[in-house]
Amino acid sequence: MRAWVLTMGLCLAATGCTHPSMFDRLQSQAQGFEHARDQTMAVVRAAKSDIDPMGLDLVNVKYAALQSKANDYLGLVVESISTNSFDASKSAADAAALSKAIDGFNGTVQPLLQARGASPAPQIVQAPLPIPSDWVSTLQASLTSSWPGYGQTLSSMSAEQRTTLGEQVKNSLAWPNFQDIVIAGASAHPAASP
């Protein structure tokens, strides 16, 4: 939350960003995306603190696939902001790939964490599994139906303003690399390139 406020403050101070309402609407639509990212990071933290190295390698592989699909979908949104053009068929394909990656992550990681025993030590963070995927189709449908209105807003913005907005969205929602997810409850999540 603090990063979002800082980003908005910098945008307003540095570039005279005039369309925070579009950012707010996109942020609201992407709540499921953001919640799934944060939940997945909590699962990775639990795995890093409690799974053997071989199991952790599997978590890393499945997380990398999920991160890639999530950031691909985010990249589509950022590109759509930059170009003021939304490809609904690519959105549908990216959403399907993201749902499949979530299912793959759940299917591999949940059994690994369950195998650690029924009563973990008190210091172990409980992993919030499974990661839901129903929000993906909701987000995809919402973006598709909202884009004509977004297009009108974007057409009134300069290329620099669209770029700034795209960077805000990317910085707010990007899924971090596996190695950047720290165990010690850090709340920061460095942006990864979608």
Side-chain angles (χ1 to χ4, degrees):
M1 182 66 168
R2 187 173 53 187
W4 176 81
V5 171
L6 178 62
T7 301
M8 284 301 295
L10 290 174
C11 172
L12 292 170
T15 64
C17 191
T18 59
H19 294 283
S21 63
M22 183 168 170
F23 176 78
D24 291 343
R25 291 188 337 241
L26 283 166
Q27 188 83 5
S28 178
Q29 283 178 305
Q31 284 180 352
F33 187 93
E34 189 172 15
H35 178 73
R37 178 201 60 203
D38 294 346
Q39 186 176 347
T40 304
M41 289 172 60
V43 170
V44 169
R45 284 187 191 105
K48 284 183 172 186
S49 66
D50 201 36
I51 291 182
D52 64 73
M54 186 181 295
L56 196 56
D57 283 344
L58 286 172
V59 175
N60 186 359
V61 167
K62 288 300 183 176
Y63 176 80
L66 177 51
Q67 175 206 23
S68 173
K69 298 307 178 192
N71 284 339
D72 284 351
Y73 197 82
L74 178 59
L76 169 71
V77 173
V78 171
E79 180 182 347
S80 298
I81 291 168
S82 177
T83 62
N84 191 13
S85 174
F86 185 75
D87 185 340
S89 62
K90 180 158 177 32
S91 175
D94 285 355
L98 177 54
S99 291
K100 185 175 178 181
I102 291 170
D103 292 343
F105 182 85
N106 286 334
T108 298
V109 177
Q110 194 163 15
L112 288 171
L113 288 172
Q114 287 172 343
R116 69 182 184 195
S119 55
Q123 74 274 14
I124 300 301
V125 176
Q126 291 297 307
L129 282 166
I131 307 299
S133 61
D134 55 342
W135 60 269
V136 178
S137 60
T138 302
L139 174 62
Q140 187 254 326
S142 177
L143 286 172
T144 300
S145 66
S146 298
W147 209 264
Y150 289 159
Q152 291 175 355
T153 301
L154 291 168
S155 65
S156 70
M157 297 169 69
S158 68
E160 182 181 349
Q161 288 173 318
R162 287 194 308 268
T163 298
T164 299
L165 176 60
E167 286 299 313
Q168 283 181 282
V169 170
K170 181 174 115 176
N171 290 336
S172 175
L173 298 174
W175 290 44
N177 293 322
F178 184 83
Q179 65 271 16
D180 295 329
I181 302 172
V182 294
I183 297 171
S187 61
H189 33 270
S193 298

